[in-house]
């Protein structure tokens, strides 16, 4: 149940029960997450429920945006992306470099993170703005804009994962 955290954001959901299990029951085997909760810099590990569920359901893949905290400091990867059984996705600036804003690891226990880096700088994305109705969100705008962040790279990684999973599933079908 995602409710307000009281600080203007959403509370972090129970990933296993609230996100993975319902989508798994509906037939999904891939979960793309362009969000993550802030870390406190001490690298606390908070993903034991998520990792346990993903270990028990190894035909399911979860990907998380690494975060946009940038720099070469430890534990800047979002808490969810630090999980042992999920993929943390960083944002690339070019084919040979990680974007300066993209969070880097290592994870709390010195595992290398992010696991994947895909283009995430200057990505053309849908604008999240409403229409001319003042506070009303209708009519919706169909505008696009240039966005940068690991939240832009994660859907690209998820799309690639879906194609790879489909190929492998059909190979042994």
């Amino acid at each position: 149940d995602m409710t307000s955290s009281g600080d203007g954001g959403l509370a972090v959901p129970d990933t296993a029960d609230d996100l993975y299990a319902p989508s798994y029951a509906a037939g999904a085997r891939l979960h793309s997450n362009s969000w993550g909760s802030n870390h406190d810099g001490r690298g606390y590990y908070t993903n034991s429920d998520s990792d346990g569920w993903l270990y028990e359901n190894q035909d399911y893949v979860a990907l998380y945006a690494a975060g946009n905290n940038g720099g070469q400091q430890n534990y800047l990867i979002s808490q969810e992306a630090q999980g042992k059984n999920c993929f943390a996705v960083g944002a690339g600036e070019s084919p040979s470099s990680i974007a300066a804003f993209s969070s880097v690891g290592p994870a709390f226990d010195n595992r290398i993170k992010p696991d994947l880096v895909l283009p995430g700088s200057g990505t053309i994305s849908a604008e999240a703005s409403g229409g001319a109705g003042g506070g009303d969100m209708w009519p919706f705008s169909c505008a696009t804009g240039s966005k940068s962040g690991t939240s832009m790279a994660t859907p690209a990684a998820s799309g690639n994962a879906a194609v790879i999973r489909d190929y492998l599933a059909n190979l042994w079908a």
Side-chain angles (χ1 to χ4, degrees), residues 30-34 61-66 87-91 115-120 150-165:
L30 190 135
H31 205 276
S32 180
N33 301 278
S34 287
V61 176
L63 299 97
Y64 283 92
F87 289 99
V89 182
D115 301 295
L116 306 166
V117 175
L118 274 84
T150 59
S151 292
M152 297 291 110
T154 303
S158 299
N160 281 293
V163 170
I164 292 167
R165 187 182 189 289

Side-chain angles (χ1 to χ4, degrees), residues 82-164:
Q82 285 199 34
K84 296 175 183 177
N85 294 326
C86 69
F87 289 99
V89 182
E93 187 73 42
S94 71
S96 61
S97 68
I98 294 179
F101 59 80
S102 186
S103 294
V104 296
F108 71 97
D109 60 355
N110 291 320
R111 283 175 294 113
I112 295 171
K113 290 284 182 172
D115 301 295
L116 306 166
V117 175
L118 274 84
S121 185
T123 304
I124 302 301
S125 180
E127 289 286 354
S129 61
D136 188 358
M137 290 297 287
W138 184 258
F140 291 105
S141 168
C142 293
T144 60
S146 179
K147 308 285 184 190
S148 295
T150 59
S151 292
M152 297 291 110
T154 303
S158 299
N160 281 293
V163 170
I164 292 167

Side-chain angles (χ1 to χ4, degrees), residues 3 36 39 44-46 58 65 69 83 110 115 132 137 146-147 162 173:
T3 58
H39 54 82
Y44 289 130
Y45 177 65
T46 61
Q58 293 186 14
N69 294 309
N110 291 320
D115 301 295
M137 290 297 287
S146 179
K147 308 285 184 190

Side-chain angles (χ1 to χ4, degrees), residues 73-90:
Q73 300 174 15
N74 291 342
Y75 314 122
L76 291 177
I77 300 292
S78 71
Q79 286 291 351
E80 291 74 22
Q82 285 199 34
K84 296 175 183 177
N85 294 326
C86 69
F87 289 99
V89 182

Side-chain angles (χ1 to χ4, degrees), residues 1-13:
D1 182 16
M2 290 180 28
T3 58
S4 174
S5 66
D7 62 2
L10 292 177
V12 176

